[in-house]
Amino acid sequence: MLNTLSHGTPGGTPLVIVHGLYGSGRNWGVIAKRLSDRWHVLTPDMRNHGDSPRTQTHSYPDLAGDLAELIDAHGGRAHVVGHSMGGKAAMVLALQHPEKLASLLVADIAPVAYTHSQIQFIEAMRAVDLSRVEKRSDAVEQLALHVEDKTLQSFFTQSLDVQNKRWKLNLDTLAREMPKILGFPEIQGRYDGPTLFLSGGQSDYVQAEHRPRIRELFPKARFAKIPKAGHWLHAEDPRGFEASVRAFVDHVEG
């Protein structure tokens, strides 16, 4: 079972937030806490991330199966919000187990293969000499030699266990499975439930040419943008992201 943080009081249809590559459930703590005034919010660590099990595989059917198990443990049906890798996992969950979703919100990703590899970040993390890390800033200093973006430096080191001098990421499996992470599996099925594709206005991850494929798999898909945000829309405009989730799920629940 995935390691999962719980926010708010159990009851009603829970809201599951699925993080992206190199993330963790803890990254979503602020937004989850705000939304917990209305829903019981669950933020799992996906496999090979955070405190969840490390495995030899990291395919989207695997990730979807993990989420199905989590939802079954919390009543059998949930609203699911997924960002990037988490969005792909949520889409596969919806296509394979539509009965487990009350609604689906996909944040800045499409059901297509992408060409921009994320492997350089694994190499950057592997390059950190953990024996010389006594505090998080020591790792940031080393990461800065390979990763220019200060936001990403901070983001990656949130997955660093300083005390035990280890990454809370299964870098070996993630590197080996990167083609699957960047891709999207061929799946028979469709999800006819309420679906929102929420994109960053400054991001190029969800293109107009992706819409036919999206509508083929998710016939009720609607589209919205957070104008001033990029791919990390929940971090760049957390209030806007929270408001979008609220409006969509409230509308679904009527």
Side-chain angles (χ1 to χ4, degrees), residues 37 112 115 134 165 174:
D37 68 341
V112 299
T115 56
E134 299 300 328
K165 298 186 185 299
L174 295 176

Side-chain angles (χ1 to χ4, degrees), residues 56-67:
Q56 292 297 306
T57 63
H58 199 84
S59 72
Y60 286 115
D62 289 335
L63 272 61
D66 295 341
L67 292 172

Side-chain angles (χ1 to χ4, degrees), residues 2 45-49 52-53 55 57-58 62-63 66 174:
L2 299 176
D45 294 338
M46 298 304 282
R47 64 168 62 198
N48 299 309
H49 291 71
S52 281
T55 65
T57 63
H58 199 84
D62 289 335
L63 272 61
D66 295 341
L174 295 176

Side-chain angles (χ1 to χ4, degrees), residues 94-96 98 187-193 215-219:
L95 295 169
Q96 293 189 323
I187 291 178
Q188 297 300 315
R190 68 182 201 174
Y191 174 64
D192 288 312
R215 291 195 187 283
E216 188 181 336
L217 297 174
F218 306 98

Side-chain angles (χ1 to χ4, degrees), residues 80-133:
V80 180
V81 175
H83 173 248
S84 203
M85 178 194 79
K88 285 187 171 182
M91 285 188 275
V92 172
L93 172 69
L95 295 169
Q96 293 189 323
H97 304 281
E99 74 286 353
K100 296 189 188 303
L101 280 82
S103 71
L104 171 66
L105 189 155
V106 180
D108 211 64
I109 202 76
V112 299
Y114 289 86
T115 56
H116 44 255
S117 179
Q118 305 290 318
I119 202 82
Q120 70 274 22
F121 299 126
I122 289 180
E123 299 306 333
M125 285 183 265
R126 280 174 167 164
V128 174
D129 181 355
L130 295 174
S131 69
R132 295 196 291 115
V133 173

Side-chain angles (χ1 to χ4, degrees), residues 138-152:
D138 295 335
V140 169
E141 194 176 311
Q142 291 189 53
L143 270 177
L145 300 173
H146 307 279
V147 179
E148 289 182 21
D149 189 325
K150 291 189 186 309
T151 304
L152 288 179

